[in-house]
Amino acid sequence: MGFSFSSTRSGYLTVTFLLVVSCLLLGFFTSPVDSSALKPKSEHDCSALTHFHDYKSKCAYLKSIDPCANQGFFDYLSFLYCNFEGFPILGQFLLFLWLLLLFYLLGHTASEYFCSSLESLSKLLNLSPTVAGVTLLSLGNGAPDLFASLVSFMGESKGTYDVGLNTVVGGSSFVTCVVVGIISISLHKRRVRIERAAFIRDICFFCVAIGSLALILVYGKINFWGALGFCSLYAVYVAFVYLSCRFGGEGSESDIESIHKRGSLSEPILQRVGLEHIEDSGEHQIVEDGDHQGYYYWKRLVIWVITLPLNLPRILTIPVVSEANWSKPLAVASVTFAPVLLSFLWNWKREPTSFEAGIVYLIGCLIGIALGFVAGATTKKASPPKKWLLPWLAGGFVMSMTWSYISAQELVALLTSLGYIFGVSPSILGLTVLAWGNSIGDLITNVTMALHDGNEGAQVAVSGCYAGPIFNTLFALGISLVGCAWEVYPSSIIIKTDPRLLESLGFLVIGLVWSFLVLFSNRMRLGGVMGIGLLVIYLASLSIRIMQTVGDAH
């Protein structure tokens, strides 16, 4: 190995450095906050769309104002109203299709590239499962919610912060009620017993996180130090988990493996682009008799062709050095084009023909060419590099984070646009559509683990259902608040109190209390009563929010 760490302390310091640098790099994509208020977007312009009844007039109006959803690279409202006047259903279908593709891009980038880089980093740095689970791997599993929150708070359009808040709260409710409920109902005959100490620890910390968030919403403002304190609660959770694992006796080590195993259950990395991967894919193919081999080959080929436009840009800009997916031409290409992509993002809002933009593009190209020559001269065709792995993994980490942010940025912009199109508040879309999309992986992974990995798998799955929302609430929201508050330091950022969001938090607490009471009354055994109750609580919360939204529309 190129880097040998004589002590775990140096590895922990390196992890801390990478996390801090990654958070600072997020400022690369965001524009400065010009006000101390984070209030919902003023709709004195975009709300006027409801006064126009045909696509032509809406198109003309949109051309006369600034984009209503300007987080992303594309103006979805103008795309619909200016190009599909005669075929509105087709235009809406294309937007929904793109919505599904964006969910795929965000989740696939997180699972295939982001988690892969983080798991490799944890192994390279010789981190214990405890530290890796609550730092790097939890960051990978929570990446979709993290980046959606960052875009909502720190993107160019600060008025969508309510999307980020509702996404995190909606995702937490979905995981702790729906996912835990389905697991409980599915395992009611096996009478699986949950480890008491871990459950109490996670429930207590989650209640502290919810209470802190509710306090921020009720108070209506927070400064930099308050945001830093809120985010630091996750560090307290990490320290508590580490100490309980180190000195708490049995059960603690398997608890923290929850996030670790969830990361390893992510879908396998798809085939990289390259003719050799089409010709030599024997170890990845399903071995069947006779005609089935041809069927599976053509099936894989069709899927490869369909996903190529989505995968190719990421493959050419995200370095990957794993044994199973190593390709020297792609590795050289990725380190060459990555600086070019970053220079494009830097010049996104500049005139492409300006002198400053030209200088940035020139610097990006020169750096890319230099890195490409170095990579070509120091790597072998047969196997990934064994030395200097940390720069490769750090590059993959940063570029996968870049693509995750881009996907989340477009996703929030599209949801905001769909809110204007259908007259639905973007916050309810964040509470439902975005939260469901980001949490579907937790549902599949945790339920599968609980059903097929025995009692230990059930313990891991349930523990992960609480560890993930704790990360999303404290770290994902916390780092977003810290970034916004830093921009206006020493002033405070103003967050408009949303009573309906407080209602959702109340139902979330009710679900936690229900789980606590039922488990303790049933000697920590999962059962159908607990699962049905959690599903009823979630449906009640969701129904009330939907009825309130429909009432507002009328």
Side-chain angles (χ1 to χ4, degrees):
M1 300 288 285
F3 285 84
S4 62
F5 292 84
S6 59
S7 66
T8 56
R9 180 179 298 179
S10 60
Y12 298 161
L13 291 175
T14 305
V15 171
T16 303
F17 173 75
L18 285 173
L19 293 176
V20 171
V21 169
S22 301
C23 294
L24 292 176
L25 283 174
L26 291 171
F28 178 83
F29 305 103
T30 59
S31 56
V33 179
D34 55 8
S35 168
S36 62
L38 274 179
K39 53 189 178 181
K41 177 188 283 292
S42 173
E43 299 190 3
H44 64 278
D45 287 331
C46 299
S47 63
L49 282 173
T50 58
H51 302 313
F52 300 96
H53 301 289
D54 60 277
Y55 275 37
K56 185 175 182 180
S57 58
K58 290 183 178 181
C59 174
Y61 179 74
L62 288 171
K63 290 180 179 179
S64 66
I65 63 173
D66 294 331
C68 297
N70 55 3
Q71 298 98 329
F73 295 92
F74 197 69
D75 188 349
Y76 296 103
L77 291 176
S78 296
F79 169 77
L80 175 66
Y81 291 129
C82 297
N83 297 285
F84 294 94
E85 180 181 0
F87 307 95
I89 301 299
L90 176 61
Q92 294 172 9
F93 170 78
L94 291 177
L95 290 182
F96 278 107
L97 179 62
W98 181 235
L99 178 67
L100 296 177
L101 292 177
L102 287 175
F103 274 122
Y104 166 80
L105 281 174
L106 182 59
H108 186 260
T109 302
S111 65
E112 181 167 338
Y113 296 99
F114 202 64
C115 287
S116 176
S117 297
L118 294 177
E119 289 189 65
S120 299
L121 279 172
S122 68
K123 294 177 183 178
L124 179 65
L125 300 176
N126 296 319
L127 298 180
S128 68
T130 300
V131 176
V134 295
T135 55
L136 295 182
L137 295 178
S138 60
L139 177 61
N141 288 322
D145 293 285
L146 170 63
F147 289 112
S149 175
L150 285 167
V151 169
S152 301
F153 276 85
M154 300 181 64
E156 182 178 350
S157 177
K158 307 299 186 299
T160 57
Y161 78 89
D162 54 335
V163 176
L165 286 171
N166 280 275
T167 298
V168 172
V169 174
S172 299
S173 299
F174 184 85
V175 172
T176 58
C177 290
V178 176
V179 179
V180 175
I182 292 176
I183 291 175
S184 300
I185 295 173
S186 302
L187 300 180
H188 74 282
K189 292 184 178 180
R190 287 166 47 182
R191 299 182 64 80
V192 175
R193 178 173 290 179
I194 300 300
E195 206 276 320
R196 182 190 301 264
F199 179 76
I200 294 176
R201 177 198 67 205
D202 292 338
I203 286 289
C204 289
F205 266 100
F206 197 19
C207 287
V208 170
I210 295 172
S212 302
L213 178 59
L215 186 63
I216 294 173
L217 295 176
V218 171
Y219 190 61
K221 63 180 180 180
I222 188 172
N223 58 20
F224 171 76
W225 297 109
L228 189 62
F230 178 73
C231 186
S232 299
L233 288 176
Y234 190 73
V236 176
Y237 174 69
V238 171
F240 192 87
V241 170
Y242 176 76
L243 293 175
S244 65
C245 172
R246 190 77 177 270
F247 307 107
E250 297 182 3
S252 299
E253 186 71 23
S254 62
D255 293 336
I256 197 58
E257 287 288 339
S258 62
I259 303 178
H260 187 87
K261 288 189 176 182
R262 289 173 65 219
S264 64
L265 285 177
S266 299
E267 61 181 284
I269 298 179
L270 295 179
Q271 291 294 325
R272 312 285 286 177
V273 172
L275 294 178
E276 67 274 14
H277 293 106
I278 300 257
E279 297 170 356
D280 183 20
S281 57
E283 63 176 355
H284 299 287
Q285 292 212 5
I286 301 174
V287 179
E288 297 285 346
D289 296 329
D291 297 338
H292 288 88
Q293 290 185 354
Y295 167 76
Y296 282 111
Y297 175 83
W298 287 108
K299 179 181 177 181
R300 291 173 60 84
L301 182 61
V302 170
I303 295 176
W304 181 82
V305 171
I306 293 175
T307 57
L308 181 62
L310 299 176
N311 293 333
L312 184 61
R314 294 177 296 160
I315 290 172
L316 294 179
T317 53
I318 303 178
V320 174
V321 291
S322 65
E323 291 281 352
N325 298 280
W326 170 251
S327 170
K328 180 175 179 178
L330 292 178
V332 173
S334 63
V335 298
T336 302
F337 291 114
V340 178
L341 174 62
L342 294 177
S343 64
F344 168 77
L345 296 175
W346 183 271
N347 286 329
W348 175 31
K349 290 298 183 181
R350 288 193 175 98
E351 286 292 333
T353 57
S354 65
F355 176 77
E356 294 83 358
I359 294 297
V360 172
Y361 281 127
L362 179 62
I363 294 175
C365 291
L366 291 177
I367 294 176
I369 292 173
L371 291 178
F373 275 114
V374 171
T378 58
T379 57
K380 299 179 181 180
K381 184 177 181 179
S383 61
K386 304 299 182 182
K387 297 182 178 180
W388 303 100
L389 272 178
L390 187 58
W392 281 95
L393 294 176
F397 173 78
V398 171
M399 293 309 300
S400 60
M401 183 181 66
T402 300
W403 275 102
S404 295
Y405 192 92
I406 292 173
S407 302
Q409 185 172 253
E410 288 301 314
L411 192 54
V412 173
L414 178 54
L415 284 176
T416 303
S417 299
L418 291 175
Y420 287 118
I421 293 171
F422 296 103
V424 179
S425 171
S427 61
I428 193 65
L429 295 177
L431 184 73
T432 54
V433 178
L434 188 52
W436 295 337
N438 290 343
S439 302
I440 194 67
D442 296 88
L443 173 63
I444 297 173
T445 300
N446 289 335
V447 172
T448 301
M449 185 186 302
L451 292 178
H452 299 290
D453 288 356
N455 291 347
E456 181 185 355
Q459 171 66 50
V460 167
V462 173
S463 182
C465 287
Y466 296 106
I470 290 173
F471 173 85
N472 293 334
T473 303
L474 292 179
F475 188 83
L477 280 181
I479 204 68
S480 303
L481 291 172
V482 168
C484 289
W486 174 254
E487 294 284 357
V488 299
Y489 182 81
S491 301
S492 298
I493 55 176
I494 308 300
I495 302 177
K496 183 179 179 181
T497 302
D498 184 0
R500 295 176 182 176
L501 187 59
L502 293 175
E503 290 177 6
S504 298
L505 286 176
F507 276 101
L508 180 55
V509 172
I510 292 174
L512 296 178
V513 172
W514 173 260
S515 300
F516 183 88
L517 294 177
V518 175
L519 277 177
F520 270 79
S521 65
N522 201 27
R523 296 182 179 181
M524 304 305 297
R525 290 188 176 92
L526 298 174
V529 174
M530 173 180 167
I532 294 174
L534 289 174
L535 294 179
V536 170
I537 291 171
Y538 181 79
L539 292 175
S541 173
L542 184 63
S543 300
I544 291 175
R545 283 297 298 269
I546 292 177
M547 286 189 295
Q548 291 172 338
T549 302
V550 172
D552 292 340
H554 293 286

